[in-house]
Amino acid sequence: MAFKVALLGIYHESNTFITTTTTLDDFKNGHWLKGVEIKEEYRYAHHEIGGMLEVMDREGIEVVPVMFAKATPGGIITADTYHTLLHEMMNLLEKELPVDGCLVIPHGAAVSERYPDMDGHWLQTLRNRLGEDIPVVGTLDPHANVSPLMASVTNALVAYKTNPHIDQRETGQEAAEIMVKILRQQCKPVQRLFQLPLAISIEQQHTGAEPCKSLFAAAKEWRARNGLLSVSILLGFPYADVREMGTSILVISDNNAEIAQEAGNQLVSMILDNKQAFNSSKKDINVLCPVISNSKKPVLLLDMGDNVGGGAPGNSTHLLKALSQEKNCPFFICLYDPLAVAIAAKQVAGAYFNISIREDVSPDDIYSCEVKLIRLADGKFREANPRHGGQVNFDMGKIAIVTMNEQSVIMFTSLRTLPFSLRQLTAFDIDPAGFDVIVAKGVNAPVAAYGSVCPTILQVDTPGVTQADMTAFQYHNRRIPMFPFE
């Protein structure tokens, strides 16, 4: 029997503590793909869509790509933007109906002005249109804040097992294989969601290090030993003031609710019994400066308070100021600053000029310095290797590369760019080995890109809308009690 499966998704990680909103232009500047464009972009990418397509092609199942919209993490999605995206996606799906199944790609931490649980809302809208008999299977980012609604309106949701996320293609394969088994009546998924009264601190979410390493190993063992279809640890996204914020677990069994419940209970106990390990002490730049001087170079400084992957603006100057005061410490930093790019565009290569950098978070805090223009460029580049996010094509907009004091390099971009690829430097003839320090505005994700060239990696507890200490934010909607708040 020939099967026809639709593929669609709206993907965003929304930081509700940011005053600026995410608009339709942000999706247009990201990835807003329809029909065959989705296959062209992702078929060979290290992305879940590529994994889904691979399995479906192998099994001879027709995939109808409908729409996939993705924007760089940022503030809450405006009501009009979400309405436009949902309306267009459902209209495009309508043209392809009937289908035998639907593969979905939500992030799991999207928030819109009218729907705090935006992923739950669009998945429910999809379920209402398809009916209860059409299987809906998809993937999640492990930073998802999973709601009961998301779990109840889908047959199976599978999260990446790594952070940095370098297994997205494999996760897409896992989800697609579950879909194939459902279509061929080889399994009957039973999905159980376990929401914990705990939120894992962002800097403790590296799956290759403790405490997450043992936790993910235990989940893998439970799945193998008990024949479960999937076990997912959702680390959670703490920068969203929504009821579902926090860590959760999704267990999917083959028609065995009892074993799914037992697995979830055991993993919940493992986390809660070791909860203190999931909330470590933080270190600021003043503590780390002496460490930098005695460390193997280059040192990767992770600017946690200005984490672009968590929705931050990407133009904080806290580390820039601190590093510029250090003697004989050449560094690289990338800042989102369209105005600086426009000013630099009026100069010629080799010219010296003054630049003033204004932060979004602290607009009255202006940092001024003299720089030398090295080059202007179109900031597009490609990444061929498995990296966090699984993207192939990146676009920083117009960029300006300048030097400070003839040794340090600042890259100004006109589009906010995730620091997920070393090609952000090497594609523009910047040698990472030429610096003592490389600043990446992230927490764990940049490690996949820079770990191979940076023997020392330090997380810095900088101020900002993604600062590491989540208890410093004012929540109104989260569940109570929740560790580390209570």
Side-chain angles (χ1 to χ4, degrees):
M1 178 181 177
F3 296 107
K4 177 182 174 183
V5 174
L7 185 151
L8 52 85
I10 304 173
Y11 193 100
H12 192 253
E13 192 173 48
S14 308
N15 186 322
T16 67
F17 298 104
I18 296 174
T19 55
T20 55
T21 55
T22 296
T23 68
L24 213 56
D25 282 342
D26 293 308
F27 283 92
K28 291 176 180 178
N29 288 328
H31 291 80
W32 189 356
L33 307 171
K34 303 166 192 175
V36 70
E37 294 174 339
I38 301 173
K39 289 186 175 181
E40 292 173 348
E41 179 72 17
Y42 290 114
R43 181 179 293 281
Y44 303 109
H46 299 283
H47 189 275
E48 53 263 52
I49 293 177
M52 291 174 174
L53 295 173
E54 180 182 341
V55 170
M56 292 294 152
D57 287 348
R58 183 187 72 209
E59 298 297 329
I61 295 175
E62 179 188 2
V63 174
V64 179
V66 177
M67 189 183 98
F68 179 64
K70 178 180 185 293
T72 300
I76 295 174
I77 298 170
T78 66
D80 287 345
T81 296
Y82 175 50
H83 174 78
T84 299
L85 293 172
L86 181 62
H87 183 73
E88 178 151 10
M89 184 172 72
M90 297 307 295
N91 280 347
L92 290 170
L93 174 64
E94 197 69 33
K95 297 176 183 178
E96 304 296 343
L97 296 178
V99 295
D100 300 297
C102 191
L103 289 168
V104 294
I105 311 97
H107 177 284
V111 180
S112 72
E113 289 175 327
R114 293 181 184 171
Y115 300 100
D117 180 15
M118 195 189 94
D119 291 301
H121 181 263
W122 75 256
L123 289 169
Q124 182 183 46
T125 303
L126 176 66
R127 171 58 74 197
N128 291 342
R129 179 61 190 89
L130 295 177
E132 294 298 322
D133 296 331
I134 302 299
V136 176
V137 177
T139 54
L140 289 172
D141 188 295
H143 294 108
N145 293 321
V146 185
S147 68
L149 179 60
M150 292 166 61
S152 67
V153 297
T154 57
N155 297 82
L157 292 172
V158 181
Y160 323 146
K161 307 296 188 292
T162 60
N163 184 36
H165 312 327
I166 56 174
D167 67 328
Q168 288 179 239
R169 189 176 181 94
E170 291 81 0
T171 304
Q173 292 169 347
E174 182 179 341
E177 286 164 358
I178 292 175
M179 174 64 81
V180 171
K181 289 178 180 178
I182 297 173
L183 294 174
R184 293 177 178 166
Q185 299 183 355
Q186 296 171 346
C187 77
K188 187 177 180 180
V190 173
Q191 180 166 244
R192 290 288 181 269
L193 170 65
F194 301 81
Q195 289 182 304
L196 282 79
L198 170 144
I200 296 177
S201 189
I202 197 74
E203 82 282 359
Q204 292 297 92
Q205 294 188 7
H206 193 312
T207 55
E210 297 297 355
C212 282
K213 185 176 181 179
S214 295
L215 175 61
F216 277 73
K220 183 178 181 180
E221 182 182 349
W222 259 100
R223 179 187 177 189
R225 187 172 69 239
N226 297 282
L228 295 165
L229 295 174
S230 178
V231 179
S232 295
I233 307 294
L234 289 307
L235 302 165
F237 183 62
Y239 307 115
D241 184 13
V242 294
R243 182 163 181 76
E244 55 270 16
M245 189 278 286
T247 299
S248 60
I249 298 168
L250 275 172
V251 181
I252 306 170
S253 70
D254 185 0
N255 201 27
N256 190 332
E258 183 177 339
I259 193 65
Q261 190 71 38
E262 183 181 356
N265 289 341
Q266 289 291 326
L267 291 169
V268 166
S269 295
M270 183 178 181
I271 295 173
L272 294 181
D273 289 347
N274 298 280
K275 62 185 178 184
Q276 294 295 342
F278 292 98
N279 185 40
S280 72
S281 60
K282 283 78 173 171
K283 297 179 177 63
D284 63 26
I285 188 63
N286 295 323
V287 173
L288 291 175
C289 274
V291 178
I292 293 171
S293 61
N294 296 317
S295 300
K296 291 185 178 180
K297 311 296 191 302
V299 174
L300 178 64
L301 281 189
L302 294 162
D303 189 350
M304 294 195 288
D306 196 29
N307 171 18
V308 179
N315 58 12
S316 165
T317 58
H318 291 288
L319 294 186
L320 173 62
K321 293 172 185 174
L323 292 171
S324 63
Q325 294 173 4
E326 296 294 314
K327 294 181 179 179
N328 301 317
C329 182
F331 62 85
F332 171 87
I333 188 169
C334 178
L335 298 172
Y336 164 63
D337 196 330
L339 180 58
V341 175
I343 292 171
K346 298 177 181 178
Q347 311 296 323
V348 295
Y352 290 86
F353 61 102
N354 291 318
I355 197 80
S356 294
I357 305 167
R358 186 188 301 270
E359 299 184 13
D360 278 19
V361 176
S362 304
D364 294 332
D365 190 1
I366 302 173
Y367 178 74
S368 299
C369 58
E370 184 183 62
V371 296
K372 175 184 176 182
L373 179 64
I374 301 301
R375 65 182 292 195
L376 302 166
D378 183 342
K380 293 181 179 179
F381 62 94
R382 289 175 58 85
E383 173 57 72
N385 297 304
R387 295 291 182 259
H388 186 103
Q391 297 294 334
V392 174
N393 296 306
F394 290 78
D395 186 1
M396 301 186 287
K398 299 297 181 183
I399 67 170
I401 301 170
V402 303
T403 60
M404 282 181 62
N405 304 321
E406 303 293 339
Q407 59 174 359
S408 297
V409 173
I410 305 175
M411 175 185 284
F412 293 111
T413 72
S414 52
L415 291 176
R416 276 194 316 130
T417 304
L418 298 159
F420 294 172
S421 172
L422 193 62
R423 291 286 295 159
Q424 186 176 16
L425 278 70
T426 60
F428 302 96
D429 302 321
I430 300 173
D431 180 12
F435 305 101
D436 284 355
V437 172
I438 295 174
V439 175
K441 293 183 173 292
V443 179
N444 293 302
V447 175
Y450 295 91
S452 62
V453 297
C454 293
T456 305
I457 299 173
L458 301 174
Q459 294 172 323
V460 192
D461 185 20
T462 47
V465 292
T466 56
Q467 66 184 58
D469 183 5
M470 70 182 88
T471 65
F473 294 97
Q474 292 294 318
Y475 293 81
H476 303 284
N477 303 301
R478 66 172 177 83
R479 289 169 287 130
I480 297 175
M482 175 175 282
F483 181 83
F485 302 94
E486 289 82 33

